[in-house]
Amino acid sequence: MNNFEWNFPTKINYGPGKVNEVGEIAKAYGKKAMIATYARGGFLDSIIDTVEASLKEAGIEFVTFTGIEPNPRAQTIDKAIDKFKAEKCDLVIALGGGSVIDGSKYIAATSFSGGKAWDYVVLGDRVPREYTGAYPIISIPTISASGSECNAGGVLTNAETNEKSFSRSPYRFPKVAIVDPELLTSVPLSITKDSCVDIFSHLIEHYLSSHSESDFADRITEGIILTLKENFDKIITNLSDTEVRGQLALCSIFGWSGLQALGRTGSIPMHSIEMPLSAIYDLPHGRGMTIVIPPYLELMADVLPHRWAKLARRCFGVTEQDDLKAAKLLSVKVVEWLKSTESYLTLSDVNIPSDQFEKMADDVVRMFPGSKANTTTGPRPVTKEEIIKIYEMCK
Ligand SMILES: [Fe+2]
């Protein structure tokens, strides 16, 4: 087991109708809030109204910044930062899915620390700027997927360069996450499916990339995967089930909280390989993960076969005793699972052509370099040629 430091400073305020309490909760953290959210005109409109009404009732001033995109753009976030500063806000209320919450973290920390949002992301050999602090954040997740509602990570897309990258800062942990399962019932079926696969991707990244062993982390991860699978089956038959939405909300939060990787933190090659799909083609992140996961599992099965085999046996019913044979069954079982929930997708299903595979792989090895030239980090360095091969297998 590796040494680690871990904390979970975000208070979770869970329950149906909890969104109505945002005004009272916000009083402890600021006087003038920026509500950061998606563009109006979608299923969130009435929820934006609810948040505004609650703040008004509690006597909290606010401005509402709409228009944060799925795959939030640094250029949009910079506009929000300008508005936050011009309006002299001192609190961000992030109302949305991972994209909005990620973007809100950059609003809160960049407004405090100066510069542009993109200055702070990891980008190849560049040393990212460091925050000096952040304004407080209250997250109100409207989708269960990223875990962003309770963690310090955040992904941004640069629309000028078609790059997508991330950063992490302890200043950006939300102070409170208001997790209201009634809000989550408004998520449509296709986004619900994408979200469940994104949660799965978070659970398997470190499980399959670390060379350290931690029985505790393995059992936590396996327990969340089994909970996710059971509740995935339930939610696609009844999107309005608040009990099931609540269970998926916990899978989202703790699936990417660090708890699932205590003592065996690894790398996130599947996310790195997906990044160009979202950056270049604006594909929703969870949908991109759905496409990338099976070929990655197939191509890399022989790298850490005992880890692949453990996951296959404990979460997908594989009984094969030979590790390498069991490892190779993992991608087969995951494809079966995705097909059983009608979630399985290929690049052609989302109309992504094959003419940019070389550039996409170049982007991955440049932005997230591994220990050897022309590789990205993984359980061993993943070569540019292997990344292209994975895209080929996604067709
Ligand atoms: Fe993800």
Side-chain angles (χ1 to χ4, degrees):
M1 183 162 82
N2 288 337
N3 295 352
F4 62 85
E5 286 181 13
W6 184 73
N7 67 346
F8 190 86
T10 305
K11 182 198 284 185
I12 300 175
N13 201 329
Y14 175 84
K18 283 285 177 187
V19 69
N20 294 293
E21 297 175 21
V22 61
E24 280 304 311
I25 292 167
K27 278 182 180 174
Y29 300 102
K31 292 191 165 41
K32 184 165 183 181
M34 169 176 277
I35 302 170
T37 191
Y38 300 114
R40 276 191 178 268
F43 63 89
L44 280 187
D45 281 7
S46 65
I47 305 170
I48 299 173
D49 296 341
T50 301
V51 171
E52 289 180 344
S54 175
L55 291 174
K56 220 174 265 175
E57 203 178 314
I60 304 279
E61 285 187 76
F62 64 89
V63 293
T64 304
F65 183 88
T66 58
I68 297 180
E69 308 88 353
N71 298 320
R73 295 178 180 183
Q75 290 73 18
T76 304
I77 298 305
D78 284 336
K79 282 183 197 157
I81 291 165
D82 289 344
K83 185 167 180 174
F84 187 95
K85 291 199 279 196
E87 295 279 351
K88 297 191 167 38
C89 297
D90 58 4
L91 165 68
V92 182
I93 296 176
L95 176 66
S99 298
V100 160
I101 302 172
D102 284 5
S104 297
K105 290 173 180 171
Y106 285 92
I107 297 170
T110 313
S111 296
F112 188 97
S113 306
K116 302 278 189 189
W118 193 251
D119 297 344
Y120 295 88
V121 304
V122 171
L123 203 64
D125 295 334
R126 177 180 91 161
V127 178
R129 187 168 168 171
E130 287 190 21
Y131 295 117
T132 53
Y135 289 101
I137 302 162
I138 295 174
S139 64
I140 309 178
T142 58
I143 300 172
S144 303
S146 66
S148 186
E149 53 271 34
C150 294
N151 70 30
V155 179
L156 270 191
T157 296
N158 187 329
E160 287 163 5
T161 60
N162 278 344
E163 293 171 313
K164 184 175 176 182
S165 190
F166 69 97
S167 64
R168 204 176 174 284
S169 165
Y171 292 121
R172 302 192 314 204
F173 277 108
K175 300 290 183 197
V176 182
I178 300 174
V179 182
D180 183 336
E182 281 178 356
L183 301 189
L184 300 167
T185 60
S186 54
V187 182
L189 179 62
S190 64
I191 300 176
T192 298
K193 289 180 182 178
D194 295 343
S195 305
C196 286
V197 180
D198 192 24
I199 295 170
F200 177 66
S201 75
H202 301 154
L203 289 160
I204 63 173
E205 283 276 32
H206 294 286
Y207 195 111
L208 297 177
S209 64
S210 175
H211 288 259
S212 300
E213 299 285 336
S214 166
D215 288 345
F216 176 87
D218 288 354
R219 287 302 193 188
I220 291 279
T221 298
E222 292 153 10
I224 302 176
I225 288 175
L226 295 175
T227 308
L228 171 71
K229 288 176 69 189
E230 287 166 13
N231 286 280
F232 192 176
D233 288 340
K234 290 179 190 169
I235 202 65
I236 56 180
T237 62
N238 180 9
L239 294 173
S240 328
D241 190 324
T242 51
E243 283 294 312
V244 176
R245 290 286 186 185
Q247 291 297 309
L248 292 170
L250 292 177
C251 292
S252 163
I253 290 167
F254 290 101
W256 212 214
S257 63
L259 178 68
Q260 88 291 352
L262 290 185
R264 59 151 173 70
T265 304
S267 53
I268 55 168
M270 287 176 267
H271 274 72
S272 302
I273 293 166
E274 190 284 326
M275 290 276 191
L277 298 179
S278 295
I280 298 173
Y281 299 103
D282 209 19
L283 191 67
H285 167 65
R287 204 160 298 173
M289 294 311 302
T290 305
I291 294 169
V292 161
I293 288 171
Y296 177 88
L297 295 181
E298 184 179 341
L299 191 74
M300 301 291 284
D302 60 349
V303 177
L304 285 175
H306 70 291
R307 301 292 306 165
W308 258 249
K310 194 176 203 180
L311 186 62
R313 291 178 187 128
R314 290 184 172 182
C315 295
F316 289 93
V318 168
T319 54
E320 169 61 51
Q321 291 301 301
D322 178 80
D323 274 359
L324 187 56
K325 286 181 185 165
K328 289 188 169 167
L329 285 172
L330 181 61
S331 64
V332 175
K333 290 292 180 183
V334 168
V335 167
E336 276 176 19
W337 171 56
L338 293 173
K339 286 185 173 171
S340 76
T341 55
E342 298 183 356
S343 307
Y344 180 74
L345 287 172
T346 63
L347 286 178
S348 47
D349 291 325
V350 294
N351 300 314
I352 290 184
S354 53
D355 56 343
Q356 294 209 59
F357 287 174
E358 173 111 19
K359 180 200 176 320
M360 289 157 60
D362 271 333
D363 284 352
V364 175
V365 300
R366 176 176 55 82
M367 294 174 66
F368 314 110
S371 56
K372 294 180 183 163
N374 276 324
T375 67
T376 192
T377 50
R380 64 160 166 70
V382 187
T383 66
K384 180 184 158 188
E385 290 68 32
E386 286 171 326
I387 297 169
I388 293 172
K389 170 91 175 149
I390 287 167
Y391 292 139
E392 293 283 349
M393 293 162 73
C394 291
K395 286 202 286 190

